Amino acid sequence: MSPVYLLLLLIPVISAQTFHWGPCSTPELQSNFTLEPYLGEWYEIAKLPAYFAIGECVQANYSMREDGTVRVLNSQVLNVLNGSRWVVEGTAKVMEPKEPAKLGVQFTSFLPYSPYWVVSTDYTTYSVVYSCTDIFERFHFSYAWILSRSPTLPTVIVDYAKKLLIEEGIDISKMTHTDQNCIV
């Protein structure tokens, strides 16, 4: 299948993504990343558009499973569901033991693991995450998230996270703030 034909088939998905020509960026990731202190609840503060995260009050909860993988519970409040909270469960795992900040996440068993790269975190306040899917090194879809352990994050930390992404060659011009003021 030609890349142009594939691109045409993906137009509906592309409209809800951050699309760029060329290969993915390869940012420097969190050094000495440790999974255990990263587990727990995270609130989405800001993100690049993603077709799978269109709601408000987006949260993720990570917990260790007995088999060494991570249980991922992502939830969001969707207006299309009358403001109901929608939850999806997935699995994450360290993809390369030598690079523990490079995780993969999977929400259905018939799709491969998607990148979930921890660019920076202090484990207790914030996390900056990047994901990118490269298509034939011709174009890519990138995602980025600024996460917090609480529903709000000081502006100085949000600004730091955005600056970090920009310095790593990640275009955040389409980044949006996530509303965390939901009552469910």
Side-chain angles (χ1 to χ4, degrees):
M1 177 181 307
S2 80
V4 172
Y5 184 67
L6 180 62
L7 183 61
L8 289 174
L9 289 174
L10 294 174
I11 284 177
V13 174
I14 292 169
S15 65
Q17 308 301 311
T18 304
F19 166 84
H20 298 283
W21 293 106
C24 293
S25 295
T26 53
E28 192 165 321
L29 303 180
Q30 175 77 28
S31 62
N32 300 318
F33 178 78
T34 306
L35 189 55
E36 282 294 324
Y38 194 79
L39 301 175
E41 187 143 27
W42 290 97
Y43 295 84
E44 182 182 275
I45 301 301
K47 69 170 174 265
L48 290 178
Y51 71 91
F52 50 83
I54 58 171
E56 301 171 344
C57 297
V58 181
Q59 294 173 266
N61 193 303
Y62 307 119
S63 58
M64 193 61 74
R65 290 190 175 125
E66 288 183 18
D67 67 0
T69 63
V70 176
R71 178 180 186 224
V72 178
L73 285 179
N74 281 357
S75 69
Q76 59 186 314
V77 173
L78 294 170
N79 290 329
V80 296
L81 295 177
N82 296 322
S84 297
R85 184 163 288 280
W86 182 64
V87 180
V88 63
E89 183 173 342
T91 300
K93 67 179 184 177
V94 173
M95 301 304 287
E96 181 79 34
K98 292 179 183 177
E99 296 181 279
K102 281 189 176 182
L103 291 97
V105 66
Q106 180 184 59
F107 288 97
T108 68
S109 60
F110 63 87
L111 290 176
Y113 281 86
S114 297
Y116 182 100
W117 295 357
V118 180
V119 176
S120 180
T121 187
D122 69 354
Y123 301 100
T124 60
T125 309
Y126 78 95
S127 180
V128 180
V129 178
Y130 175 68
S131 179
C132 189
T133 302
D134 202 359
I135 311 294
F136 307 119
E137 294 188 2
R138 300 278 188 233
F139 60 93
H140 65 274
F141 301 102
S142 60
Y143 309 94
W145 295 271
I146 299 171
L147 306 175
S148 174
R149 290 291 189 179
S150 65
T152 61
L153 195 59
T155 303
V156 66
I157 297 175
V158 174
D159 291 345
Y160 164 76
K162 288 179 177 180
K163 182 179 178 214
L164 181 62
L165 289 165
I166 291 167
E167 288 173 353
E168 292 297 336
I170 299 163
D171 179 4
I172 63 164
S173 61
K174 294 182 181 177
M175 186 166 268
T176 60
H177 177 77
T178 302
D179 183 6
Q180 288 290 349
N181 295 313
C182 298
I183 299 172
V184 179

